[in-house]
Amino acid sequence: MQLGLIGLGKMGGNMAERLKLHGHQVVGFDFSAEAVARLTASGNVGVSTLEELVQKLNGRKAIWIMVPQGDPVDQTIAKLVPLLNTGDILIDGGNSNYKESQRRAKELTAKGFNFVDVGTSGGVWGLKEGYSMMIGGEKEPVEYLRPIFEALAPAADKGWGHVGPAGAGHFVKMVHNGIEYGLMQAYAEGFTILEKKEEFGLNLPQIAEIWRHGSVVRSWLLDLTADALQKNPKLEGLEAYVADSGEGRWTVFEAIDLNVSAPVITESLIRRIRSREENNFTDRVLAIMRNQFGGHAVKKD
């Protein structure tokens, strides 16, 4: 089966390679000539324009978009629509807001096209491990794309599924990422407590390795943490700065809209935001208040 792919970064490039291993041909476009050349070298077809991409796809066209969420997705769709035929399928596999996906599906359906939103998890490990895919859209185009999903997933019958109508795929991925924030924060806090208990001289790589086998807290995240600690036990040379892709924020907003208490996910998001503040103003205000009412010492630079 042919698939058009827009966005040949690390994840997109790995997806193309995995599809090739399963006998599917990818026609790929990226603004990076180097990324296009890598795709061609892997045995797929790299192109330099969207027009060329569409021309090289035969029959009913399916085009997977892997670009940053927001305006880049809308711009890409706007450029593709005049080149496509009724019944062709546009797939957004990035981290788009589910409400945007609902809007895009409605607009494209009115023009005679199909839209499928795929919440995609697996990151840079997807080539080897396969991708977890949460899929939203109408049943017919999802079934048409089944060979693609079966090839990208960890197994043909595992790690992917049609979860609901347009927008549902990105909604489920949004909550998935919110949960991920909470898990990561819990691991980080736990290892910090261990590291601070200096009297025991605990070996964090050893403990992480113990927990990986038989423990109720074992997980892929712990596997990755154990590997990172083995390479750099003291985390030397790293800056305490944690970015967020936006999906954790959307999860918190949705929890509020739905009157769902989600303190762990919310606090993990706040901690990420706090990690980016140098010489935190909030803490300085707290320090000066304690000094004012209780005469507590204030540390100065």
Side-chain angles (χ1 to χ4, degrees), residues 175-238:
V175 177
H176 163 283
N177 280 28
I179 294 170
E180 179 184 292
Y181 279 35
L183 289 172
M184 292 172 70
Q185 185 67 29
Y187 279 127
E189 291 175 7
F191 279 106
T192 300
I193 294 169
L194 295 173
E195 193 269 339
K196 290 294 183 182
K197 193 65 173 175
E198 296 179 357
E199 68 179 276
F200 288 149
L202 299 172
N203 183 324
L204 299 194
Q206 177 201 29
I207 293 167
E209 192 62 30
I210 291 170
W211 286 354
R212 287 184 61 223
H213 305 281
S215 164
V216 295
V217 298
R218 65 188 184 272
S219 71
W220 188 44
L221 275 174
L222 181 59
D223 294 342
L224 297 175
T225 303
D227 182 63
L229 287 171
Q230 287 286 352
K231 295 174 180 175
N232 188 358
K234 296 295 184 182
L235 305 183
E236 295 170 339
L238 298 178

Side-chain angles (χ1 to χ4, degrees), residues 37-90:
R38 282 198 303 268
L39 181 71
T40 302
S42 73
N44 282 298
V45 180
V47 298
S48 55
T49 67
L50 294 180
E51 290 80 5
E52 188 181 359
L53 181 144
V54 173
Q55 290 168 5
K56 288 188 178 295
L57 293 173
N58 300 315
R60 186 182 187 184
K61 299 171 180 62
I63 301 178
W64 190 301
I65 301 168
M66 288 293 284
V67 301
Q69 63 90 13
D71 193 52
V73 178
D74 285 324
Q75 288 187 22
T76 302
I77 291 174
K79 292 174 182 177
L80 286 171
V81 163
L83 308 174
L84 300 177
N85 300 316
T86 300
D88 287 345
I89 307 169
L90 289 167

Side-chain angles (χ1 to χ4, degrees), residues 31-281:
F31 288 112
S32 166
E34 183 180 347
V36 172
R38 282 198 303 268
L39 181 71
T40 302
S42 73
N44 282 298
V45 180
V47 298
S48 55
T49 67
L50 294 180
E51 290 80 5
E52 188 181 359
L53 181 144
V54 173
Q55 290 168 5
K56 288 188 178 295
L57 293 173
N58 300 315
R60 186 182 187 184
K61 299 171 180 62
I63 301 178
W64 190 301
I65 301 168
M66 288 293 284
V67 301
Q69 63 90 13
D71 193 52
V73 178
D74 285 324
Q75 288 187 22
T76 302
I77 291 174
K79 292 174 182 177
L80 286 171
V81 163
L83 308 174
L84 300 177
N85 300 316
T86 300
D88 287 345
I89 307 169
L90 289 167
I91 309 147
D92 182 4
N95 285 330
S96 291
N97 188 293
Y98 80 95
K99 294 179 181 178
E100 294 282 284
S101 296
Q102 289 178 310
R103 172 182 60 80
R104 291 171 185 135
K106 184 177 181 180
E107 293 172 353
L108 288 167
T109 299
K111 296 176 181 178
F113 304 108
N114 292 283
F115 179 84
V116 174
D117 56 289
V118 182
T120 311
S121 181
V124 298
W125 297 89
L127 175 59
K128 178 184 176 182
E129 305 288 341
Y131 297 90
S132 173
M133 291 169 290
M134 300 134 265
I135 303 161
E138 296 295 325
K139 182 178 180 180
E140 189 278 328
V142 172
E143 281 300 310
Y144 179 81
L145 294 166
R146 175 180 285 272
I148 296 296
F149 298 137
E150 290 180 344
L152 288 172
D157 60 345
K158 290 183 174 64
W160 74 277
H162 184 195
V163 299
H170 281 147
F171 182 83
V172 174
K173 176 57 161 52
M174 175 192 76
V175 177
H176 163 283
N177 280 28
I179 294 170
E180 179 184 292
Y181 279 35
L183 289 172
M184 292 172 70
Q185 185 67 29
Y187 279 127
E189 291 175 7
F191 279 106
T192 300
I193 294 169
L194 295 173
E195 193 269 339
K196 290 294 183 182
K197 193 65 173 175
E198 296 179 357
E199 68 179 276
F200 288 149
L202 299 172
N203 183 324
L204 299 194
Q206 177 201 29
I207 293 167
E209 192 62 30
I210 291 170
W211 286 354
R212 287 184 61 223
H213 305 281
S215 164
V216 295
V217 298
R218 65 188 184 272
S219 71
W220 188 44
L221 275 174
L222 181 59
D223 294 342
L224 297 175
T225 303
D227 182 63
L229 287 171
Q230 287 286 352
K231 295 174 180 175
N232 188 358
K234 296 295 184 182
L235 305 183
E236 295 170 339
L238 298 178
E239 188 176 343
Y241 184 104
V242 187
D244 71 279
S245 64
E247 296 204 79
R249 298 177 184 229
W250 301 338
T251 305
V252 171
F253 298 156
E254 198 68 30
I256 293 169
D257 287 343
L258 295 171
N259 289 318
V260 173
S261 175
V264 172
I265 294 174
T266 302
E267 178 59 21
S268 66
L269 171 64
I270 299 303
R271 291 299 302 176
R272 289 194 179 203
I273 294 171
R274 188 186 178 104
S275 76
R276 302 164 212 164
E277 298 180 19
E278 293 186 12
N279 196 12
N280 185 277
F281 188 78

